[in-house]
Amino acid sequence: MWTPGRMSNAKSWLGLGMSLYFWGLMDLTTTVLSGTPTPPGKLEALLPDKPQSHLRIKRSWVWNQFFVLEEYTGTDPLYVGKLHSDMDRGDGSIKYILSGEGAGVVFTIDDTTGDIHAIQRLDREERAQYTLRAQALDRRTGRPMEPESEFIIKIQDINDNEPKFLDGPYVATVPEMSPVGTSVIQVTATDADDPTYGNSARVVYSILQGQPYFSVDSKTGVIRTALMNMDREAKEYYEVIIQAKDMGGQLGGLAGTTTVNITLSDVNDNPPRFPQKHYQMSVLESAPVSSTVGRVFAKDLDEGINAEMKYTIVDGDGADAFDINTDPNFQVGIITVKKPLSFESKKSYTLKVEGANPHLEMRFLNLGPFQDTTTVHISVEDVDEPPIFEPGFYFVEVPEDVAIGTTIQIISAKDPDVTNNSIRYSIDRSSDPGRFFYVDITTGALMTARPLDREEFSWHNITVLAMEMNNPSQVGSVSVTIKVLDVNDNAPEFPRFYEAFVCENAKAGQLIQTVSAVDQDDPHNGQHFHYSLAPEAANNPNFTVRDNQDNTARILTRRSGFGQQEQSVFYLPILIADSGQPVLSSTGTLTIQVCSCDDDGQVLSCSPEAYMLPVSLSRGALIAILACIFVLLVHIFKTKGIKQHSTQKWTDTKAI
């Protein structure tokens, strides 16, 4: 309906006025008196089928809007409202035309009465409003009686959509033993209905399944724990069903549900327990170190890091013979051999093993100690073992002049088994290819079989075998290292042939040679040689020997003046003696040639028949010789020149 107070708004909408029609649901608070005149030249939007007198209109209505309820299911077209021009006299001369969104498809208008109907089912969630245009034409001439006006038809919401959980189903985790009220997860339901109109979209949450373990906040959808001390080991998985209902949860509201799968995560609230308080195990005495004896297992109802275990040996007489390690994959304790075992020495052991959680939670310590113990009995089983030598290594020193067949060591072995079988001894011949030794088959006496020579082999490393008489496959072995000790059985001698010379003009006491000696022996205190003339040359008038007391000796002339023509070579026998017991000695000969020398002692010739210049001359001798040659050449050339001059002069005279 049009009123004077809305004149300014009417101008902007080109004279199209519209009423709000709520099918009896409007809050009518204002009375419009009948007989109110309609301004000329305006289209009027009238409420359907309502008299113009005593009509009450909602204060907040928008004058250019129609409202129509969605989801109409009747068979007849749904009446929306009426358009009316004040120029319409009811004689059918005015024709109403509708255009815009949905015109002719969704909405139709009676071109005579101006009644608007919806001819399709409307869904607000699909489309909330339509914008249309209306015009009044002169039916006869087609001339517009009113300017075209625009108006809106809004689809009025009804509660036709239930709440939906778009993110469901949900998966959540909460630690076991959590306090009551611990937040688990928040679920959210959405309602496609209009949240601004009524309670159609106001959602209230409730729990249909999952009590008394969990609760849900009716407004926020936050799920919380509702029961104390929920134990994962008793029940781990929970299926909770949450309902969301619109209309604020009132009767007649629509509802939707979702599933929340809640898992209790583990905390360390269970101590480990050994299912057996006693374990019985056995191991062969021949088991190598680090080999496995057996396994123990402490069961823990927790999982993951909370079920991790650490095993230790806390008591027992086998703590030094066995060890225990934790298998991190299966959380079992693996008992292993720590040192060699012997059935004959100890036949059984007892271990007290503890299994404990290394990762503890302080709030659960009151549940008891998080460790448990068990007793392990280990029996050592006998095996047939090879003979054992005592000691396990032999070192023998023997002089090299020991007589053949001398016992140098008693080798001893025994059967470690209770049966104590008889032993037979032998030498591994690959360790003694020269067969210098042999061993008595029954007594184990190790003896020499050949003469020993330290200067040839100073060390021998042989392997002695011990075999059980009743079981030849059981063979033990031991290494015997033999050091051959030196005895003084080699005389000292010159290391090479010594040859010296003496000048004819040598003086008495002149050094002509220094000699040294070698000895194949190796005395403990080192070599000490003594030099002297051999007995047959003790009174030699030509040369003498001076011992330097440092294992060398000097050969000196005893007189002056030697002549090649008299004696060109001397042979001087020198006696060399060691300091061993007994003293051994040898005679070495020094060959001495008599040579002619210059004034500086340089040898010119060592043979009386030699006419050639000596190989080695002094610088003065060479200069003298070269000077003589030079003088001789000058003399020759000078004589030759004189002869040529005389001949030429004689020839010239003859020519004259």
Side-chain angles (χ1 to χ4, degrees), residues 439-459:
V439 64
D440 188 274
I441 191 171
T442 57
T443 65
L446 182 64
M447 294 172 279
T448 56
R450 285 180 52 189
L452 303 179
D453 186 357
R454 187 202 66 84
E455 286 71 41
E456 183 180 5
F457 299 107
S458 59
W459 294 88

Side-chain angles (χ1 to χ4, degrees), residues 517-558:
V518 295
D519 193 327
Q520 295 185 29
D521 294 323
D522 187 19
H524 180 69
N525 295 322
Q527 300 285 4
H528 297 283
F529 301 135
H530 303 282
Y531 301 88
S532 62
L533 291 176
E536 63 271 21
N539 296 319
N540 189 301
N542 302 308
F543 304 98
T544 185
V545 175
R546 294 281 181 86
D547 194 331
N548 294 325
Q549 302 299 316
D550 61 356
N551 290 337
T552 64
R554 292 174 295 164
I555 311 301
L556 305 174
T557 57
R558 207 165 193 173

Side-chain angles (χ1 to χ4, degrees), residues 335-350:
I335 299 175
T336 58
V337 178
K338 189 176 182 179
K339 70 176 186 178
L341 305 174
S342 173
F343 172 81
E344 291 73 27
S345 300
K346 189 171 178 61
K347 297 178 175 59
S348 65
Y349 296 87
T350 300

Side-chain angles (χ1 to χ4, degrees), residues 404-419:
I404 295 175
T406 301
T407 298
I408 60 175
Q409 181 68 50
I410 300 296
I411 308 298
S412 177
K414 69 175 183 178
D415 183 3
D417 301 316
V418 176
T419 55

Side-chain angles (χ1 to χ4, degrees), residues 159 161 163 191 193 199-200 202-203 245-250 253-254:
N159 190 21
N161 290 279
D191 194 312
D193 292 322
N199 293 326
S200 298
R202 190 162 70 88
V203 175
K245 191 173 184 180
D246 60 15
M247 299 298 291
Q250 297 176 5
L254 302 178

Side-chain angles (χ1 to χ4, degrees), residues 20 22 26-31 47 55-59:
L20 303 179
F22 294 108
M26 296 169 54
D27 180 18
L28 302 178
T29 59
T30 302
T31 301
L47 295 176
L55 185 61
R56 302 179 70 204
I57 305 299
K58 186 176 181 181
R59 285 196 181 97

